[in-house]
Amino acid sequence: MKREPLSFKQTVYLLILFIIGSTIILPVGTEAKQDIWAAVLLAIVMTLPVVLVYARILSLYPERNLLEINEQILGKVVGRFINFLFAFYAFTLCALVLDNFGQFINVTAIPETPLAIPMLILCLLALWATKEGLEVIARSGEVYLPIIVFVATFTFLFLTPNLNINRLQPSLYQNSGGIVSAALHLFSFPFAETVIFTIIIYCTNKTKAMAKVYLAGLLIGGGIILLSVTSVMAVIGPERYQASYFPAYLAVQTINVGDFLQRVEVVVFLIAIFAGFIKISLCFFAACKGLSNALGCKEYRFLTVPLGLLEFLFASNLFNSTKQMAQWASEVYLYFAFPFQVALPMVIWILGEVKRRGRQGSPEVDLHDELR
Amino acid sequence: MKKSICVLFVFWHLFVLWSMTGCWNFREIRDLAIVIGASFDKKDDQIYLTVEVLSPKGGEQEQGATGSLGITPQLFEGSGKTVFEAVRNMISKAGRKLYWSHARVFIVSEDVAKEGIIQIIDWINRDAEVRPQTWILVSKGQAAGDILRTQSKLFDTVSMQIDTLLRNQGNSGKLLGVTVGDFLEEMQKPGVGAVAPIIESVKDGREQIPQVKGSALFKGEKLVGFLDGEETMYLLFLRNQMKKGTLIAVTAQQPKANVSLEIFRSHTTKTVRLVDDRPVVDIWVDCLSGIAEISEENDVISERGSQKLTERTNKELRNKITDTIKKVQNEYGTDVFGFGNLIYRERPDLWETIPKGGWAKVFPTVDTNVNVNIMMRGSAKLSEPTRIGE
Amino acid sequence: MPSFQNRQELVNELEYHYFIFLLFSIFGIVEAIQLYHQKQRKELTIYLFLLLPGLVITVYTATQVGLPSIAEELGSWFGWMSQ
Amino acid sequence: MTKVTPTGLRRNICTNRLTAAADKKSPQVGRNFNCALGSNIKVIQKILQNDGLVIYRKIRLDTNPFRACYVIYVDGMVNSDLLNENILRHLLIFNFGDRRQAPKMSFSDVLMNRVLSTGNVQTEKVIDSAIQSLLYGNVLVLVDGIPFAFVIDAKGWEIRSISEPETERVVRGPREGFIENLITNLTMIRRKMINPALKMVFRDIGTRTRTKICIIYIEGIARPEIIQEVYRRLDKVQLDGILEPEYIIEFIRDAPLSPYETIGTTERPDTAVGKLLEGRIVIMVDGSPFAITLPYLFLEYFQANKDYYDSFLYSSANRLLRYISFFLTTSTPAIYVALVNFHQEMIPTRLLISIASAKEGVPFPAAIEAFIMLMAFQLLREAGVRLPSPVGQAVSIVGALILGEAAVTAKIISAPMVIVVALTGISGFLVPEMPGVSFFLSLFFLFSSSFIGFFGYIFAVIAVTIHMTSLRSFGLPYLSNLTSIHGKELKDTVVRAPWWWMTYRPRLLSRDKRRLADPGRPEP
């Protein structure tokens, strides 16, 4: 039987898992302090138009992903060069997430194990999943998301006695600079990282309204992030949030139900590894696809092994310490990601629209449907 | 076929990896010395650490003992220039690796606390094994190690007794359990001073037993003073941490006129307002309580008597709370009530006018306005005071 | 690379690097033979072009102690990170 | 237990010599009968040389002039009443000379229409085919001067009586199970489904045994592409002997190396019909009381037929229990090892201390202990299954009690580990169809979690998910019902919804999706 393309639900699940990914373990939006909820909301609002642009690009050329669209719009040479850049971005992002999880596991739970071991295993798993194909990743996502939602709900319920709304005050007082800066960071990590999805999915009959897919994924994923960071902030307060590398872990540590359900943070964050694995696999998949396209190969699967090795080496030599990782995330990543998340998609979109107008007489056919 | 060979290779290799390098974080459970409580003393720039350790080795000696664990705790002492060094020096004595995840209490001696507690707090928060949910206490007037050397009558170890006590917070209403995490947060938060409960060893019968009562007040990282049990109760009211089931006693002027009240529910609201450019904190204590004991023949249950009692109680509580605030303001000058944090939260504009680090100067001058509103409900099983027959 | 505190740690590092090297070599040989048999010359070239440097880097990092991280290197080139 | 009769044995190997002859390209192969009875008989006797079970009964027919006739059959494979009463007797007493009884009929027509009074009589021209049907239990009648043989269906061999299947007992529900006879099995299915849409297609498989198999499906429900796929894969089976469905399963299943079953078996006709009604295809093999059902999805491990015979609330609770027991049987040793060796902080203090005192003096790390105990448990289980049941029970009880107790006393194994392994083993019995999978999984998880604790465990879970999501059973994703949390399909996956609520069949499996004509809650 023919393998089906991803369904609407699978794509949305993947988007949600991708957005949750490493975001829930890392200290995101520290600049906003107690107004972090506002920063998340602002970041979602900022991401909306960008995401609609991604969706629009895909809808311009049905049955094609960004790589093929690039070739179509920019021509073979330039298009492939741009695809190479995108593959590089996916590669880097994959290494970053891999590193985040490696550091997280290493610092919080098993400090004596070399950092590289969990990273290597995660990398091998992502390699295997990529070799099996996108459908396997999507189905795994369908298995994981309910588990994540289940565990997260219970974690949230157990955390409620520790929530203290006082820690979120004073709210919105002369903190606009912090909020905007935090929102920018949240925009680049994780929301606009969904540009990776343009490489791996394409517009089919089943996922006709690409904008709908993106909006659903962004809003649900963003909602989960909003809930999680706000509750973490309300449990540990802005001072400890800022000081910690992994604030959510600190917050979950405070769970104590009837003196027997305590010290469960390891189990809770095991579940986060599911989301992280999906994010790593998707990025790695995108990197393989992008590179194979840039090199003009039809098949991407043969690239997984050598690229996996390089990925692991890159990730394990990227940072020497958790401090460096945090510093890089807060100081450099925003500027590094900007071209891939905003600039290049904008250019592609505009060129695509122009080409489309040139190609067709009436370009306004379903514009309203898509950008509604 | 090729694929499955690859998969087999992966598994074979994982096995090789496993058997070659061993398991890094592998800890055999019987090799652990489980730390259940620790105390910190200071003498001549050296930190003296005493830990209470549970280890199964002790269990064999105590086979058949009636205690729930059947284990006697062992005490180890170590010293060093830093906490970490003291911990490391102890390994050579204990022989087994100290395992800190199950630690319940940390006791800091008064001397250490007066010089600054940050060293200990930082180590607890930084170390992955030690948990911030551990209780922190200050031993008053004694070496902290001596507390661990006392006897626990109903529990296996002193630390477990203190842990259970603090978790239930007692019904005495005279102590305030604080975890290291909370302590750190209050230490870092603007406009609030940290508090920790006091622990002492007292003689009970023939044995020395630990007693937790009152609270130690910190200004920044340094200990500045103590509140006794009675004042701690008012502190609890002010911090809105009064638990239900607490008993308070109301005394009137004439002898034999005492009434004990049990608190069912208590809620404290604090607001800040400006009077002549100076902040005034209004405090409302709403309290639902019932009569638990009447030691006079007077009628306090009927509507009129109850009203009188309520008035009397309100007045008395208000005075006591105000006195406590005054005492802290004048003698210690640390804002353990969180007035500064209240201003920071509710009037951030006002907070900005206070120069950085200037709150300590402003705090003693803050005016407070305490309102107590006690609602009486019920009088336990008896509807009348116990009368004496003619 | 963190600095090694004792010999045992060094041995651990070496061993898992050895493991990675061996694992990817075997993968590489199997897949390269497969590609060779399928007469996908271009793919084979790309494959080896990517894999061999990776293996060399693995060996290099296994034998070096205290290498600066990639982020540090980049930071010193562009002056990103405040060291 | 199967009674192995000489004929049963013979049915399995009956065509050996025939094929051997075919291999030698003997001149007789493919030859037709000719008119001379003597040469026909000689050919047959030559092919069936040294086969003492074949009986040649020569009859001189009452014709004018006398004609000879041979009745050939295999001893024990024919119904002797039928043979004697309806074939031999008529041949013996019929007066062929009396033309009034059969005016204007040829001799063979007379035989067909007046003499042979059995249900199924056919004529066969090719010698090989005739011999094959002879060996399958048919009676051959060869008459002088007629260039073909009459093949009379008079099969009747000893069969086991229908009894309740041992492996799938139910408290409530039908008590019959399949037996070794294909036709009887098919009648059991047919009796439950009186509908012309039920299709049964026969095939011969096994180059030597020529085993009859039957592919059963319901037209209009089963998806034609799956049926085509089944035919395609069956055509590839070139094994010489098929004695049991597993011989076929291993040829036609997807992912042949995976421990997960992608093809199911059942011993119960009601289960088989239930699967048919869900759009699945059932294959029955002659000589085995097990039917193959396919496609087989992961969730079917947890759907026991008794679920459908009990109250839906109770069944749903049972089903949830089965999921939990699957989790327990695969993960308990791994979680225990991770807790005890890596994440001691998660164990409550008192429990930690009691585990530590139990471990005091035990020389092995928990992982090795768990491995030893799991192996011992498997040994006991296997020994218990193979031995006759009273002895088997004794072995299990003695083994479990005495060995466990002695091992704890001798400080080889710690007491908590005995509890853990007992829990693992006993919860494994709740999902009896997957002993292999749960054993492999528990070993794999144990191994991973003894490597880096809970993280190893979760990595192993991810690896297993990748494997399972990449599996397919005849084109259907193996986890399809599990992963698609679809309101309609949830009704028969996690829980068992009441029958009046299960309006639809599984979505991917079937063509006609509607199961219930008029959905709605029954009203009193």
Side-chain angles (χ1 to χ4, degrees), chain A residues 97-153:
Chain A
V97 181
L98 209 53
D99 198 64
N100 291 342
F101 272 91
Q103 301 273 8
F104 173 69
I105 293 171
N106 188 257
V107 169
T108 55
I110 43 175
E112 286 142 48
T113 309
L115 177 66
I117 297 298
M119 271 158 75
L120 175 70
I121 299 173
L122 266 176
C123 191
L124 285 177
L125 287 172
L127 193 155
W128 183 14
T130 306
K131 243 191 157 75
E132 293 284 354
L134 184 59
E135 200 207 343
V136 165
I137 304 175
R139 286 193 178 277
S140 305
E142 276 185 300
V143 177
Y144 298 149
L145 191 65
I147 302 176
I148 292 176
V149 168
F150 180 79
V151 172
T153 313

Side-chain angles (χ1 to χ4, degrees), chain B residues 71-184:
Chain B
I71 284 179
T72 35
Q74 313 284 323
L75 288 183
F76 290 100
E77 286 171 42
S79 62
K81 280 200 184 61
T82 62
V83 177
F84 193 73
E85 200 185 315
V87 170
R88 226 176 42 194
N89 288 344
M90 200 142 20
I91 297 174
S92 55
K93 286 186 185 169
R96 290 178 172 179
K97 190 178 177 302
L98 294 183
Y99 185 62
W100 288 88
S101 283
H102 282 267
R104 302 291 176 87
V105 289
F106 288 131
I107 303 169
V108 179
S109 79
E110 194 184 335
D111 304 337
V112 176
K114 274 185 177 148
E115 280 183 38
I117 202 172
I118 203 152
Q119 188 182 8
I120 294 158
I121 295 287
D122 180 79
W123 172 72
I124 293 168
N125 260 290
R126 200 171 292 279
D127 197 291
E129 218 175 70
V130 190
R131 301 180 61 82
Q133 275 66 48
T134 321
W135 302 109
I136 187 161
L137 300 104
V138 174
S139 73
K140 186 181 175 187
Q142 285 160 306
D146 291 345
I147 307 288
L148 290 180
R149 284 188 197 90
T150 55
Q151 294 293 313
S152 172
K153 283 181 175 174
L154 295 177
F155 292 83
D156 296 297
T157 72
V158 176
S159 309
M160 278 180 152
Q161 176 180 355
I162 300 168
D163 175 50
T164 316
L165 174 76
L166 289 177
R167 217 157 359 92
N168 303 330
Q169 301 268 320
N171 287 354
S172 68
K174 290 182 178 177
L175 53 97
L176 170 63
V178 175
T179 65
V180 175
D182 293 343
F183 189 91
L184 180 80

Side-chain angles (χ1 to χ4, degrees), chain A residues 34 107-114 117 132 166-167 169-170 173-174 236-237 239-240 253-254 259 263 265, chain B residues 3 17 24-25 97 101-102 125 128 131-133 167 181-182 184-185 188-190 344-345 348-349 352:
Chain A
Q34 65 272 14
V107 169
T108 55
I110 43 175
E112 286 142 48
T113 309
I117 297 298
E132 293 284 354
N166 283 348
R167 298 199 173 99
Q169 285 174 334
Y173 175 74
Q174 297 194 351
I236 63 172
E239 291 84 16
R240 290 171 77 196
Q253 273 195 330
T254 63
D259 203 39
R263 304 182 280 247
E265 63 276 357
Chain B
K3 199 174 80 183
L17 179 68
W24 297 274
N25 268 79
K97 190 178 177 302
S101 283
H102 282 267
N125 260 290
R131 301 180 61 82
Q133 275 66 48
R167 217 157 359 92
D182 293 343
L184 180 80
E185 196 190 337
Q188 290 179 329
K189 238 189 204 170
Y344 169 70
R345 287 201 318 262
D349 49 332
E352 290 225 323

Side-chain angles (χ1 to χ4, degrees), chain D residues 231-242:
Chain D
Y231 286 149
R232 199 180 62 77
R233 293 193 191 175
L234 280 175
D235 286 343
K236 287 188 185 162
V237 182
Q238 292 296 330
L239 195 66
D240 62 344
I242 307 287

Side-chain angles (χ1 to χ4, degrees), chain B residues 7-17, chain C residues 18-19 22 26:
Chain B
V7 172
L8 279 180
F9 265 123
V10 173
F11 288 129
W12 180 73
H13 264 88
L14 282 177
F15 182 75
V16 170
L17 179 68
Chain C
Y18 157 77
F19 163 71
L22 206 64
I26 291 168

